[in-house]
Amino acid sequence: MKRKLAVGAVLSASAVLASAIQVSAGIAQAAPAPVGQSAAAHQRGELLALAGAQAPAAAKALGLSGQEQLVVKDAIVDADGSRHFRYERTLGGLPVLGGDLVVHQDAKGNVKGTDRAVKGAVAPASLTPKLTADQAVAKASGAVAATVGVAKDADEAALTSVTKAGSAQLVVWAASGTPRLAYRTTVEGVRADGTPSSQLIVTDAASGEVLSTHEQVQTAVGTGNGVFVGNVQLTTNLVSGSYQLKDTTRGGQYTTNLANKTSGKGTLYTDADNAWGTGTVSNGQSAAVDAQYGAAATWDFYKNTFGRAGIRGDGVGAYSRVHYGRNYVNAFWDDSCFCMTYGDGASNTHPLTELDVAGHEMSHGVTANTAGLNYSGESGGLNEATSDIFGTMVEFYANLPKDNPDYLIGELININGDGTPLRYMDKPSKDGGSADYWSSTVGSKDVHYSSGVANHFFYLLAEGSGAKTINGVSYNSPTSNGSTLTGIGRDKAAQVWYRALSVYMTSTTNYAGARTATLNAAKDLYGAGSTEYNAVAAAWSGVNVN
């Protein structure tokens, strides 16, 4: 649950905060960046350091107990100097899952408000576990093993084996209901289609009850139709007379050849003449061109649209691996390696390297490094929708002649075998499972189907309701209340969603909270009562979020 605190409640300790926060209104006038470090990275480092220095005072002002500490996760500064410090929380040294919050300040360091992932106290009845760490690992492993052969996620093949489990870490689970002492364990396995599985399992430290499961390897299932991006330019790196498929202008991101293996980083692609691939599947470099271009397009979209330097915002580029396994009909993003991986599809002749696959999957990394939306319930739907929204925006940003930009998800990979896309943003229910509108049961749907509400909201906000043709594709978007809506354009809609994600949403944000977050974002960007602000409110009403 998310609560926007009244300013008065937060400013009750404004004097305490002021002493810690009145540090230079000008991070812009900070010392020059050290040699070899960009000014942006230097500024971000100073901003994170400032947030860390203020953490004790902020914790006191927010009324947190002496056992609770705030740990900096992210920091954003607006053009007017306003700052937004995102913190994780610990209790007695234990991570608090659901304890994240964002502190909003003006340019002078005065607190304007706070968004919290959960309401109220986060302390459990006891910090002494009844189960040992080894028992917790056994409980977590057993819970995952019990799902072997069952595919609960529409985009995931069934788990076929559990390979190993890491050590159990004590945490406080406060994301739902009464806070509990818990263990967090990572259990690894393999799915039927060869996708690695890395599930984060949270179990009650007293009973072993499973409180939360989260698959950390995010996948997009489908079959491809060959090479997708066509003729594109690539930035490469010349070393000792040989070109590398490595882009030093975009955080050093690069592409490797796994050569049909399923582990390791792969071998960096090199070439003598800097002419990569032929556009045919038979040339192994062609899939690498798609992957490298997809990473570059995603980088450029976030950098040039939002000023975000890479997935983590730290200027470091992710890397891509192609030719994963054999006959692997899938692609996935993995936070643990900070990399994007693509299979070659059926008969090793249909690489899964479509552009919106890249944009979608890498946007999971952006969500993980901003709001950290829990991958279940309504927050899970918002997580998936964020990837659909920004994957679609990457496609529009690139505007490739061979991949016509549209509001269809996975339209080129022909996942259904009949030419239809995986998902539709204008009317999500056309896929046979997604929700067009919010209802009290949406949160119990698969996250790829509950995402329909936010996808539909974004389409209505960007393009409006009713029948229309965009880039040669026909759409006809309805509203739950019969209203007729006029869109504000996809670029403004994307700005609203990104600011809401990066500044206001937290790990437990639900659809009601997303409405509040996007309205706050629209107010910041365009003003309260503006056309854009009113359009956000109307679009949410159009999907029955009021």
Side-chain angles (χ1 to χ4, degrees):
M1 184 174 181
K2 181 168 91 60
R3 178 178 68 170
K4 181 68 181 291
L5 296 182
V7 173
V10 179
L11 294 184
S12 60
S14 59
V16 176
L17 285 171
S19 64
I21 294 173
Q22 300 283 347
V23 181
S24 125
I27 288 212
Q29 299 178 5
V35 175
Q37 183 178 5
S38 71
H42 180 57
Q43 184 182 38
R44 174 176 166 78
E46 287 203 337
L47 194 63
L48 290 170
L50 178 61
Q54 293 178 11
K60 184 175 180 180
L62 291 168
L64 306 188
S65 71
Q67 284 188 297
E68 296 177 70
Q69 293 185 333
L70 297 179
V71 180
V72 180
K73 179 180 181 181
D74 196 13
I76 293 173
V77 61
D78 296 338
D80 66 358
S82 297
R83 300 191 285 256
H84 311 276
F85 294 157
R86 185 179 292 275
Y87 296 100
E88 302 284 6
R89 196 179 341 180
T90 64
L91 176 72
L94 303 180
V96 178
L97 308 185
D100 53 300
L101 54 89
V102 187
V103 176
H104 308 286
Q105 303 175 354
D106 63 21
K108 294 182 179 179
N110 298 311
V111 175
K112 298 190 297 183
T114 304
D115 284 289
R116 299 194 193 204
V118 295
K119 180 181 179 180
V122 298
S126 171
L127 289 178
T128 302
K130 292 184 178 179
L131 298 179
T132 66
D134 287 345
Q135 288 172 323
V137 169
K139 292 282 188 181
S141 298
V144 175
T147 68
V148 168
V150 178
K152 294 184 177 181
D153 192 311
D155 278 5
E156 288 177 357
L159 192 73
T160 57
S161 66
V162 176
T163 56
K164 66 176 181 178
S167 59
Q169 177 192 23
L170 272 176
V171 297
V172 174
W173 173 254
S176 60
T178 303
R180 306 196 216 181
L181 184 66
Y183 282 104
R184 178 170 57 184
T185 310
T186 298
V187 181
E188 297 180 358
V190 178
R191 297 192 179 277
D193 62 359
T195 305
S197 172
S198 178
Q199 296 187 51
L200 201 62
I201 311 296
V202 180
T203 52
D204 189 291
S207 65
E209 175 191 357
V210 175
L211 304 176
S212 173
T213 65
H214 174 61
E215 175 59 75
Q216 299 178 93
V217 178
Q218 306 292 348
T219 65
V221 178
T223 57
N225 292 316
V227 178
F228 299 100
V229 300
N231 294 315
V232 293
Q233 290 185 332
L234 296 173
T235 302
T236 58
N237 192 38
L238 179 61
V239 177
S240 301
S242 179
Y243 293 94
Q244 300 174 335
L245 201 54
K246 182 175 182 178
D247 189 344
T248 60
T249 69
R250 294 180 175 90
Q253 57 192 27
Y254 58 92
T255 298
T256 67
N257 180 9
L258 274 175
N260 305 124
K261 292 180 291 188
T262 58
S263 62
K265 297 186 70 171
T267 303
L268 177 65
Y269 273 96
T270 60
D271 189 83
D273 62 4
N274 210 20
W276 305 85
T278 62
T280 62
V281 175
S282 60
N283 184 304
Q285 286 188 355
S286 299
V289 170
D290 284 352
Q292 185 74 359
Y293 182 85
T298 302
W299 175 285
D300 288 353
F301 165 70
Y302 279 104
K303 184 69 167 62
N304 297 331
T305 307
F306 308 122
R308 185 178 188 85
I311 288 172
R312 288 193 299 246
D314 59 359
V316 177
Y319 75 97
S320 301
R321 307 184 300 177
V322 297
H323 306 307
Y324 174 92
R326 293 186 180 278
N327 305 314
Y328 180 65
V329 188
N330 216 329
F332 59 89
W333 166 263
D334 189 346
D335 268 323
S336 66
C337 67
F338 201 61
C339 69
M340 183 68 201
T341 302
Y342 303 89
D344 285 326
S347 304
N348 289 323
T349 57
H350 297 78
L352 273 289
T353 48
E354 185 184 353
L355 182 58
D356 65 354
V357 172
H360 174 105
E361 297 300 336
M362 285 185 269
S363 290
H364 277 303
V366 174
T367 297
N369 286 279
T370 53
L373 289 160
N374 292 334
Y375 204 66
S376 61
E378 292 189 16
S379 62
L382 289 165
N383 188 317
E384 267 300 310
T386 295
S387 282
D388 280 351
I389 288 166
F390 290 135
T392 294
M393 290 302 299
V394 168
E395 193 174 270
F396 273 104
Y397 179 88
N399 196 26
L400 294 176
K402 198 172 180 180
D403 187 356
N404 187 45
D406 51 43
Y407 289 98
L408 309 175
I409 308 301
E411 72 282 0
L412 295 183
I413 57 178
N414 192 24
I415 192 171
N416 300 317
D418 58 4
T420 58
L422 179 60
R423 288 185 287 279
Y424 305 77
M425 297 185 78
D426 65 319
K427 189 177 181 183
S429 62
K430 288 168 67 177
D431 67 10
S434 291
D436 289 335
Y437 314 118
W438 182 88
S439 72
S440 60
T441 62
V442 157
S444 55
K445 284 181 173 286
D446 179 286
V447 294
H448 297 87
Y449 294 151
S450 61
S451 63
V453 179
N455 281 343
H456 194 191
F457 159 80
F458 184 84
Y459 177 87
L460 289 171
L461 181 62
E463 304 292 350
S465 59
K468 55 179 60 68
T469 300
I470 303 167
N471 285 351
V473 180
S474 297
Y475 304 94
N476 193 354
S477 191
T479 57
S480 64
N481 53 9
S483 60
T484 299
L485 303 180
T486 301
I488 62 174
R490 69 185 70 92
D491 292 336
K492 286 184 176 180
Q495 290 289 345
V496 168
W497 194 266
Y498 178 78
R499 183 164 180 84
L501 177 78
S502 60
V503 172
Y504 293 110
M505 291 185 187
T506 66
S507 59
T508 61
T509 296
N510 57 15
Y511 274 112
R515 178 187 173 99
T516 300
T518 49
L519 285 171
N520 283 336
K523 180 173 64 176
D524 293 345
L525 294 168
Y526 308 110
S530 63
T531 298
E532 294 82 0
Y533 181 93
N534 292 335
V536 169
W540 278 123
S541 294
V543 295
N544 198 35
V545 180
N546 299 295

